[in-house]
Amino acid sequence: MTSWLDALIQGVLLGGLYALFAAGLSLMFGVMRLVNLAHGDLIVLAAFVILFLAAKLGLDPFVAVLVALPIVFVAGFALQYVLLNRTLGRDLLPPLLVTFGLSIIIENGLLQLFSADSQRLRSGAIETASIPLGGGIAIGVVPLLTLLSAIAVIVLLNLIFYRTPIGRAFRATSDDLEVAQLMGIDHKRIFAIAMGLGFVVTTIAALYLGLRANFDPTIGPARLLYAFEAVIIGGLGSFWGTLAGGIVLGLAQTIGARIDPEWQILAGHLAFLVVLVIKPRGLFPRAQD
Amino acid sequence: MHPLLETRQLKAFYGDFQALFGIDMTLDAGETVAIIGANGAGKSTFLKAIAGLIHGEADNVLLDGTPIGARSASDIVRLGVALVPEGRRLFPSLTVEENLLIGDYGCKVPGPWTLDRVYALFPVLRERRHSATPALSGGQQQMVAIGRALMSNPRVLLCDEISLGLAPIIIAGIYAGLPQIKAEGTSVVLVEQDIVQAMKVADRVYCFQEGRLSLTGRPRDLTREQIHRAYFGA
Amino acid sequence: MDEASSRPVQTFRIKTVGRASHAALVVVTVALLALALLPVFAGRTLIQDLIFLYYMLALAQCWNLLAGYAGLISVGQQAFVGLGGYILFALTLTGGLNPVLAIPIAGLVSALFAFPTALVVFRLRGAYFAIGTWVVAEVYRLAFAQVKPLGGGTGTSLTPSITSSAYGIEWVKTLLDVRTPAARDIVSYWLALALVAGTLAAVYFMLRSRRGLALGAIRDHETAAASLGVDIYRIKLAVYVATAAMTGMIGALIYLQKARISPDAAFSVLDWTAYVIFIVVIGGIGTMEGPFIGAIILYLMQHYLADFGAWYLILLGALGILVMLLAPKGVWGLVSERFDLTLFPTRRRLVVDDEERPIASKRPKMRET
C-alpha cells in the first residue's frame, strides 16, 4: 500500500518535469502554430549550456541557469527571426522539416562537442536531500523543486499572456495574423520574442532534467515525445492543462515502472494513446477553437 | 501643398488576377470621402492596398507626399493610417477592453483618442468591457472595431463596410459617432454599399466599377442617373 | 454566325502522357532488364550498394506518396520497417518459413497493424500527426523489446541455414558459379529490384487512378475536396495502409539482408525516416522523379562522407534545411521547371491548341486523351 502511495507521489513530481518540457512546446504552438520537432534536442542543448557555464565559471547550476537565461533568450529570438519565420505559412511541411533538420544538427553537434558520455548537473547536497513524510515515504527536494518551478512557470506564463501588452499581442497575433499587423504589431518580432521566452522555459526545464538524472546528446527525441504527450493529454491551448497532462504522463510512467521497470516508458505512451482514443481533444480542452 | 493621402495609378493583383486598374484618389485633411460601387468593384481591395495588406509600388500611395506604397501594414499604422477591416475581425480570445488596448500596441501616439474617449463615444462598450467579443451583438462588435482603430490616433481612418449586415437603427447609431471622429481632425475614407448613407456623410464620392474609377464628385453635384450608370455600368 | 465560326478556336485537352514519357517507358523496361542481368557481370560490392540504393528508393517513394501526395507527414515509418523485419524473423526463426515467402506475409501483417494504428494517429491533425506517428513507432520498438523469443532488447540473428535457404540461392550458385554468401546477395538484389519496381508501379498507377486525382485535390485544398464529395478519410486510410504494407515488405527484405535485428536498429528514426525524408526533400517532394535523384545523392554522400560521423549528419541536416528554404521543390523541381520535363506523367496537364479552323460549335471542346 505504501509503495503505491509512494508511486503516486513520485508520479506527480515527475509530472512537474514533463509539464516544464511541455510548457515551452505549448507556448510555441500557442503563439505561432509552430510544432517544433527540435524541442527535445533544445532541452538537451540547454542542459549542456548550463553544464558548460557551471564548469567554466565555477558556478552552481542554479546560478549558472540565471546566467544562461538571457543568452538563450537572445538565441531563441535569433533562431526564430532568422530561420523559423521563413518557414511559417499555409504549408505544414517547411516548419516540420526545418525543425527536424535542426534536431539532427543539434544532436550531432552535441555529440561532436561533448561526446556520447553521460553528464549530470552537480549541485552538492541538495541533489540527494529529501523530506521524510513518515511511513517510509520521502519527497526528494529536487523533484519537489521541479514541480514547484513548473507551477511557478505556468503562473508566470499566464500572467504574461493575460495581464501584459506583449501577452495581448501574442494572443492577437495567434488569433488573426493579418489584423494584428493592422494594429502595428510586427508579427515577426512577436514570434521571435515568443521563441525567446520558449527558450527560457526550456532552459528551466533543462536545469531539472540535468539535476534529476543523467543526460547525453541522444535523449532529446524522447523528451520531445513526452512534452508532446503532455500537451495533447492536457488539451491544447491551456498552460494548466499542460500541467495536468504532465502529471498524467508522470503517473502512468511511475505506475508502469512499479509493475515492471522495463514498462515505464511504454506505459506513458500507452496512457497517451488511450487518452487520444477516448478524449481526442485532451482532458481539459479550451472551450473555443 | 500635398493632399493628406493620395493614390496615383494604384493597381492591385491577387496572383494573376488584376483587381484594380490604376486608381487616382486624393483626401485632404479633415475631409470624408466615400467609395461606392457594386460587389467586386475593388473597393475593399483599394483600402487593403492603402493599409499595406496588399503590396504595390512605393509611389502608388503617398501620405503627406511621402511614398508609403511598399511599406508593411504594421509600419503604415505607425505612420497614421488605420483600417477598420471588413467583417470587423475582432480578436476572439481578447476581451472588449483588450481589443481596444491592442489598437495602440504598435504606436503610442499622443492624441485625442484614449480608452476613456472611446468609451465616451460608445458608452455601451464600457459596460461590456470585460466581455468576450464573440458574445457581443453585431453593432457592438462594429463599435469595438472602430474604437480599436481610433486608439492608434490615426490621421486617416479607413472604414470598410461598417454598416454591413446591421439593422438600420444600429447603423444610425454607429454613424452618429462619425461627426465626433471628424471633429477631432481625423480624415475618413469610407467604403460603403449603402449609397444613401454614404452621400449623407461624405464631402466627396468616388464610384468604382470593375476595378476602375467610374465617377467622382460632390454628392450634391451628382444626379441619380449619373450614379446609377457609374454603379451598374451603361 | 459566320464571324463566329471563322474565329480561331481553342481546343482544350487534358493530357497525362507527354512525348518524353513514352520514351521513358521504353527506357524503364530496358533499364529493368539490364539491372536484372547486372549480377552476372558486377562485383559483390556494387551489388550490395545497389541493394541499399533500391530499398532506400522504395522507402522514399512510399514516404513521398504519404507526405507529398496525401499530406500525411509521418515521422514514424520506422514502425513498419521494424515490424516487417521482426515479422520475417518470427516467421523464419520460429515458423520455419522460407524467407522469400515471409516477405509478402510481412507486408500483409504490416497492413493489418496499420489499420488500428491509423485509427489512433488519424485523430491528430497536420503537424501533430507527425509526432503521433513517432510515438506509435516508439510503442512498437518498446513492445518488441519485450518479446523474449526474438531476443528482447538486444535482438537476435538469423542462422546461416535460414539465410541460405531462400529460394533461388542453389540455382544462382550453380548457374553463376559463386559461393553461398555471394549467391545470397544476388537473390537479395533481385528481391530488392522487384520490390522497388513494384513500389514504383504501385505508386505510379495509384497516382494515375481516380484515387490519385482525388489525392491531388486533397493536397490542394482539403475542405474544397470534401465538399466535392471526395471521401478524404477513406482515401488517406487507403494510402496509409498501402504504404505500410510496402514499407513492411521493404523492412523484411532489409533485415533478411542484414540477418541481424534489434529494436533500436529496426525502429531507428534516423535510418528509416530521417534519411528517407532527406531523399525526398532534396530530390523534390510531390514528384516521382525526385526520390531517384535524392536516393543517388544520399548514396554518394553516404559513400564518401559517412566516415565523418557526426559531421556527416550535421551536413545532411543543414542541406535539408537549405533546400526546404531556398528550393522547396528540390533538385527535380529545378530541373523540370527549367526544361518542362516529366518522366512519370502522373499529373493531368491542360493543353490549349490554337487552331485556325472553322468548326460547327462555338464552344471550346474538351476531350480526354
Side-chain angles (χ1 to χ4, degrees):
Chain A
M1 195 58 220
T2 322
S3 135
W4 289 106
L5 188 64
D6 186 47
L8 287 182
I9 293 170
Q10 306 308 332
V12 171
L13 294 175
L14 181 60
L17 182 66
Y18 294 160
L20 280 175
F21 291 168
L25 196 69
S26 180
L27 174 110
M28 292 170 205
F29 182 79
V31 178
M32 48 224 163
R33 305 271 173 248
L34 174 76
V35 173
N36 181 4
L37 291 187
H39 187 65
D41 298 284
L42 286 168
I43 296 172
V44 177
L45 174 63
F48 274 100
V49 169
I50 299 170
L51 182 78
F52 178 80
L53 288 174
K56 277 283 163 204
L57 306 176
L59 297 173
D60 187 89
F62 282 98
V63 183
V65 78
L66 295 178
V67 180
L69 290 183
I71 301 173
V72 296
F73 180 87
V74 172
F77 188 99
L79 177 73
Q80 182 69 35
Y81 207 84
V82 175
L83 184 69
L84 296 178
N85 273 340
R86 291 168 198 269
T87 67
L88 298 172
R90 258 194 63 216
D91 194 357
L92 284 172
L93 207 59
L96 269 180
L97 295 191
V98 168
T99 54
F100 195 46
L102 214 53
S103 143
I104 290 171
I105 292 174
I106 293 170
E107 181 174 328
N108 288 284
L110 288 175
L111 278 171
Q112 197 65 38
L113 284 172
F114 293 96
S115 83
D117 296 346
S118 274
Q119 310 282 353
R120 187 147 188 173
L121 297 178
R122 296 286 171 203
S123 188
I126 197 173
E127 282 175 60
T128 48
S130 64
I131 306 163
L133 293 183
I137 299 176
I139 292 182
V141 170
V142 169
L144 184 64
L145 276 177
T146 312
L147 180 64
L148 293 177
S149 299
I151 293 170
V153 161
I154 287 168
V155 168
L156 274 174
L157 285 177
N158 273 321
L159 281 178
I160 292 174
F161 265 67
Y162 294 98
R163 294 279 181 276
T164 66
I166 186 83
R168 281 198 291 274
F170 283 156
R171 284 180 291 143
T173 313
S174 166
D175 277 351
D176 191 330
L177 191 64
E178 196 176 61
V179 179
Q181 290 168 25
L182 290 176
M183 305 297 118
I185 295 173
D186 178 353
H187 66 284
K188 291 184 174 161
R189 214 176 127 261
I190 291 296
F191 286 168
I193 293 171
M195 185 54 91
L197 195 57
F199 268 42
V200 165
V201 174
T202 300
T203 306
I204 296 169
L207 170 70
Y208 292 107
L209 170 81
L211 283 172
R212 288 186 57 135
N214 290 341
F215 60 95
D216 67 69
T218 63
I219 65 163
R223 280 23 197 208
L224 163 71
L225 298 188
Y226 303 158
F228 164 74
E229 288 170 342
V231 170
I232 299 285
I233 292 172
L236 286 172
S238 142
F239 290 119
W240 289 114
T242 300
L243 179 64
I247 289 173
V248 169
L249 186 64
L251 281 172
Q253 285 195 1
T254 314
I255 292 168
R258 283 297 146 99
I259 298 166
D260 181 335
E262 287 188 26
W263 289 359
Q264 182 191 342
I265 313 300
L266 190 57
H269 290 327
L270 291 177
F272 159 72
L273 294 177
V274 167
V275 171
L276 193 57
V277 170
I278 298 171
K279 295 199 77 168
R281 285 163 53 81
L283 298 177
F284 305 98
R286 222 165 44 161
Q288 60 190 34
D289 71 52
Chain B
M1 191 57 204
H2 300 289
L4 178 57
L5 180 73
E6 185 180 3
T7 67
R8 289 184 189 159
Q9 284 301 302
L10 182 65
K11 300 178 185 70
F13 297 85
Y14 292 105
D16 290 336
F17 174 74
Q18 187 165 5
L20 294 178
F21 297 84
I23 303 280
D24 292 312
M25 184 211 69
T26 58
L27 174 75
D28 287 323
E31 213 184 6
T32 296
V33 156
I35 294 167
I36 59 172
N39 263 333
K43 308 183 299 286
S44 290
T45 307
F46 181 66
L47 292 194
K48 281 184 180 176
I50 296 173
L53 292 178
I54 299 170
H55 289 290
E57 300 288 320
D59 49 7
N60 281 166
V61 185
L62 299 117
L63 185 69
D64 265 340
T66 316
I68 60 163
R71 306 291 287 268
S72 73
S74 53
D75 279 352
I76 286 173
V77 194
R78 282 186 212 119
L79 294 170
V81 180
L83 171 66
V84 181
E86 186 182 4
R88 311 186 267 271
R89 292 179 63 179
L90 303 180
F91 299 111
S93 60
L94 274 59
T95 63
V96 168
E97 186 155 300
E98 286 178 325
N99 264 283
L100 294 174
L101 287 173
I102 200 90
D104 71 349
Y105 180 83
C107 37
K108 307 253 183 295
V109 185
W113 295 106
T114 59
L115 200 56
D116 280 337
R117 277 299 312 275
V118 172
Y119 284 148
L121 183 66
F122 301 120
V124 66
L125 296 187
R126 190 191 291 276
E127 294 161 28
R128 314 239 19 203
R129 61 202 290 178
H130 297 303
S131 303
T133 54
L136 301 185
S137 71
Q140 289 166 348
Q141 287 186 9
Q142 191 61 67
M143 291 172 190
V144 178
I146 294 170
R148 184 177 66 176
L150 286 174
M151 286 294 285
S152 65
N153 282 302
R155 287 189 286 167
V156 180
L157 184 68
L158 310 171
C159 296
D160 197 350
E161 307 268 20
I162 52 175
S163 64
L164 198 68
L166 300 177
I169 182 151
I170 309 288
I171 297 173
I174 287 170
Y175 269 91
L178 209 58
Q180 290 192 54
I181 296 171
K182 290 174 68 171
E184 297 295 351
T186 310
S187 309
V188 182
V189 180
L190 215 55
V191 157
E192 191 51 84
Q193 287 220 357
D194 182 341
I195 301 178
V196 180
Q197 194 62 258
M199 296 299 217
K200 254 190 270 177
V201 295
D203 301 310
R204 282 184 300 124
V205 176
Y206 288 80
C207 189
F208 284 16
Q209 194 189 321
E210 292 180 353
R212 292 181 172 83
L213 209 54
S214 56
L215 181 71
T216 168
R218 295 179 176 282
R220 62 181 127 83
D221 300 337
L222 301 175
T223 65
R224 269 183 79 92
E225 267 159 41
Q226 273 180 308
I227 292 170
H228 191 272
R229 204 177 315 123
Y231 203 95
F232 297 108
Chain C
M1 179 66 210
D2 282 343
E3 195 203 354
S5 53
S6 63
R7 228 188 294 162
V9 173
Q10 287 188 326
T11 319
F12 299 94
R13 287 180 295 131
I14 293 165
K15 231 179 102 153
T16 50
V17 183
R19 191 160 298 157
S21 312
H22 283 299
L25 198 67
V26 178
V27 170
V28 165
T29 317
V30 173
L32 269 180
L33 278 174
L35 290 173
L37 292 174
L38 198 67
V40 179
F41 320 101
R44 205 171 151 201
T45 334
L46 179 64
I47 293 301
Q48 283 173 342
D49 284 357
L50 284 174
I51 294 174
F52 170 80
L53 195 64
Y54 291 169
Y55 65 62
M56 288 314 278
L57 174 60
L59 288 175
Q61 290 289 352
C62 287
W63 191 81
N64 186 34
L65 181 65
L66 270 183
Y69 288 95
L72 293 166
I73 306 164
S74 165
V75 282
Q77 288 310 95
Q78 68 273 22
F80 299 109
V81 173
L83 183 63
Y86 265 103
I87 298 300
L88 177 116
F89 272 56
L91 290 173
T92 53
L93 278 175
T94 59
L97 204 70
N98 191 287
V100 178
L101 283 179
I103 291 175
I105 298 178
L108 205 66
V109 174
S110 298
L112 288 178
F113 271 73
F115 269 108
T117 303
L119 292 185
V120 179
V121 290
F122 276 32
R123 288 170 176 261
L124 296 163
R125 316 223 109 248
Y128 283 105
F129 172 84
I131 310 187
T133 58
W134 198 348
V135 171
V136 167
E138 281 298 286
V139 169
Y140 281 26
R141 178 177 71 83
L142 295 164
F144 274 101
Q146 294 299 313
V147 182
K148 303 299 178 217
L150 291 171
T154 49
T156 186
S157 300
L158 290 177
T159 58
S161 66
I162 289 176
T163 52
S164 48
S165 74
Y167 296 135
I169 287 183
E170 288 306 316
W171 183 72
V172 171
K173 271 168 76 179
T174 46
L175 190 76
L176 298 179
D177 190 26
V178 289
R179 296 153 71 98
T180 310
R184 269 187 49 205
D185 282 349
I186 292 171
V187 170
S188 292
Y189 171 88
W190 281 333
L191 289 170
L193 183 62
L195 271 182
V196 74
T199 307
L200 283 169
V203 172
Y204 180 68
F205 287 108
M206 180 138 185
L207 293 177
R208 295 271 316 242
S209 70
R210 275 175 54 84
R211 217 164 237 180
L213 197 63
L215 275 183
I218 294 172
R219 185 178 52 173
D220 293 344
H221 209 302
E222 184 153 332
T223 27
S227 67
L228 290 171
V230 176
D231 188 343
I232 291 170
Y233 189 88
R234 275 188 57 182
I235 289 175
K236 285 191 169 182
L237 185 66
V239 170
Y240 187 78
V241 172
T243 49
M246 290 190 270
T247 306
M249 284 197 278
I250 300 159
L253 175 72
I254 291 171
Y255 281 95
L256 171 62
Q257 169 70 5
K258 288 188 188 290
R260 155 135 203 94
I261 200 164
S262 71
D264 289 351
F267 297 97
S268 158
V269 66
L270 179 70
D271 288 343
W272 311 127
T273 296
Y275 286 152
V276 166
I277 293 179
F278 176 84
I279 289 176
V280 176
V281 169
I282 296 279
I285 190 165
T287 66
M288 280 190 71
E289 295 87 347
F292 279 88
I293 296 174
I296 291 168
I297 291 175
L298 180 79
Y299 166 75
L300 292 175
M301 289 183 67
Q302 191 96 307
H303 198 81
Y304 292 105
L305 301 173
D307 291 343
F308 293 94
W311 284 115
Y312 163 64
L313 292 167
I314 293 171
L315 180 70
L316 276 189
L319 212 56
I321 291 176
L322 282 178
V323 169
M324 199 73 238
L325 291 179
L326 303 177
K329 288 175 179 173
V331 174
W332 179 254
L334 297 176
V335 173
S336 68
E337 244 163 54
R338 185 89 189 267
F339 303 105
D340 190 28
L341 194 66
T342 338
L343 300 181
F344 293 91
T346 54
R347 293 225 175 109
R348 288 160 169 79
R349 297 199 287 176
L350 191 68
V351 181
V352 182
D353 304 323
D354 275 314
E355 291 166 292
E356 200 82 38
R357 170 161 64 105
I359 53 166
S361 163
K362 277 191 285 184
R363 292 180 48 210
K365 269 194 166 175
M366 295 208 24
R367 60 191 155 96
E368 186 133 6
T369 55

